[in-house]
Amino acid sequence: KKEKENDYGVEETLDYIAVHCRVRHPKATPPNNIVKGKDSSKSADGSGLPWFGETRNFAIKTAIKALKCAKQLLESKQQQQQHQLLDIKRQQHSSSIGRIYFFSDSNDLVRFMVEDLQSSHISSVDGATGRSPVEHAALTTVQSLSWQSSSYVPETGIQTSTSKLPSLFARDMSRINAHIDHQIGLPIEDYLGTFVDLFLAIKAKCVVYGIGYFALFAAKLSGTQCRMVYEDEVWGGYESKEKFNEGGEVCML
């Protein structure tokens, strides 16, 4: 069955939220604070964000804020769906927007948030693992997320729902996350991950984004008006993200 297409020829979106963290962007930090990349002769944007110390903590804190804002958007949309469900008595099934596709220009960050936090050696909450405060905050944030499927039975008038964890999912992180503009000349297959991220963001019902315009580009291609910005560029000649958000929400956390 072919899904409905928008004016751009993109198929109808699906019931998940795409949350993007652009942590390698130079405008995520003050102009006099150039972050060196994994290759110290290049910037983080050109060779990847070093996954240790302050840069690692910065990336995790960005993800925490993004996911908290996504939860805020989730709860708002779920409340709207609950009201719609009560108004439409003949509705047989309603699927809440609850799952979160998490993507970033740092594979290390995605791997940490989606995989490492759920592994047995770090998911304990008793502090015995020696987890840092920022890691603990990340774990608490991820554990606070859930996705909910609801059904309405017309014959009985009963609505049932079940919550499931975890909420986050991501693409295969074994593929590098190549920046098309700043990592020119790599084998074509090395850019596949970037296009997978773009495609899945286009298919998302809602898009949550901060620094940069990659996720906003996906939202414009899909035509979704369900969008939220959680961070603006620290500096530069661009106008505020609110102008480009076109009726979307602004997270005030």
Side-chain angles (χ1 to χ4, degrees), residues 37-214:
K38 291 182 176 180
D39 178 346
S40 59
S41 67
K42 300 179 181 179
S43 68
D45 222 16
S47 63
L49 189 75
W51 194 242
F52 59 85
E54 291 184 7
T55 53
R56 179 178 183 272
N57 285 344
F58 160 74
I60 296 173
K61 289 177 181 178
T62 300
I64 291 170
K65 182 176 182 179
L67 291 174
K68 284 182 176 179
C69 291
K71 183 182 179 183
Q72 187 180 94
L73 182 62
L74 266 174
E75 291 172 344
S76 171
K77 296 304 176 184
Q78 287 173 344
Q79 287 177 359
Q80 291 177 20
Q81 287 189 340
Q82 292 295 329
H83 291 309
Q84 291 171 359
L85 187 60
L86 294 175
D87 292 339
I88 305 173
K89 298 299 183 181
R90 291 178 296 177
Q91 185 170 348
Q92 295 183 352
H93 181 76
S94 173
S95 177
S96 296
I97 308 169
R99 298 217 68 195
I100 296 175
Y101 179 69
F102 185 72
F103 64 122
S104 171
D105 56 353
S106 168
N107 278 3
D108 292 317
L109 177 60
V110 176
R111 189 178 298 109
F112 174 78
M113 298 300 295
V114 178
E115 299 176 6
D116 293 351
L117 281 178
Q118 299 175 41
S119 64
S120 59
H121 72 278
I122 198 170
S123 61
S124 170
V125 294
D126 59 8
T129 57
R131 196 170 42 250
S132 71
V134 70
E135 290 172 340
H136 181 79
L139 177 60
T140 301
T141 300
V142 170
Q143 289 180 333
S144 72
L145 299 169
S146 65
W147 67 283
Q148 189 176 68
S149 59
S150 303
S151 61
Y152 175 77
V153 183
E155 293 79 7
T156 63
I158 297 175
Q159 179 181 331
T160 61
S161 61
T162 56
S163 295
K164 301 181 180 181
L165 286 172
S167 178
L168 299 187
F169 69 102
R171 64 170 171 81
D172 179 9
M173 287 296 106
S174 66
R175 293 189 174 276
I176 71 169
N177 201 331
H179 193 296
I180 296 174
D181 291 330
H182 298 291
Q183 293 175 288
I184 300 172
L186 298 176
I188 294 176
E189 58 269 21
D190 285 352
Y191 300 99
L192 177 61
T194 303
F195 283 96
V196 170
D197 283 338
L198 179 63
F199 175 78
L200 290 174
I202 290 172
K203 297 290 287 183
K205 184 72 72 176
C206 303
V207 179
V208 178
Y209 67 98
I211 304 298
Y213 291 83
F214 182 65

Side-chain angles (χ1 to χ4, degrees), residues 4-55:
K4 183 180 178 181
E5 294 183 348
N6 66 9
D7 293 339
Y8 295 94
V10 177
E11 291 182 348
E12 185 176 296
T13 55
L14 302 178
D15 283 349
Y16 62 87
I17 288 180
V19 178
H20 184 238
C21 291
R22 178 78 159 90
V23 294
R24 288 161 48 183
H25 200 294
K27 292 183 180 178
T29 56
N32 59 348
N33 184 23
I34 299 175
V35 179
K36 293 183 178 181
K38 291 182 176 180
D39 178 346
S40 59
S41 67
K42 300 179 181 179
S43 68
D45 222 16
S47 63
L49 189 75
W51 194 242
F52 59 85
E54 291 184 7
T55 53

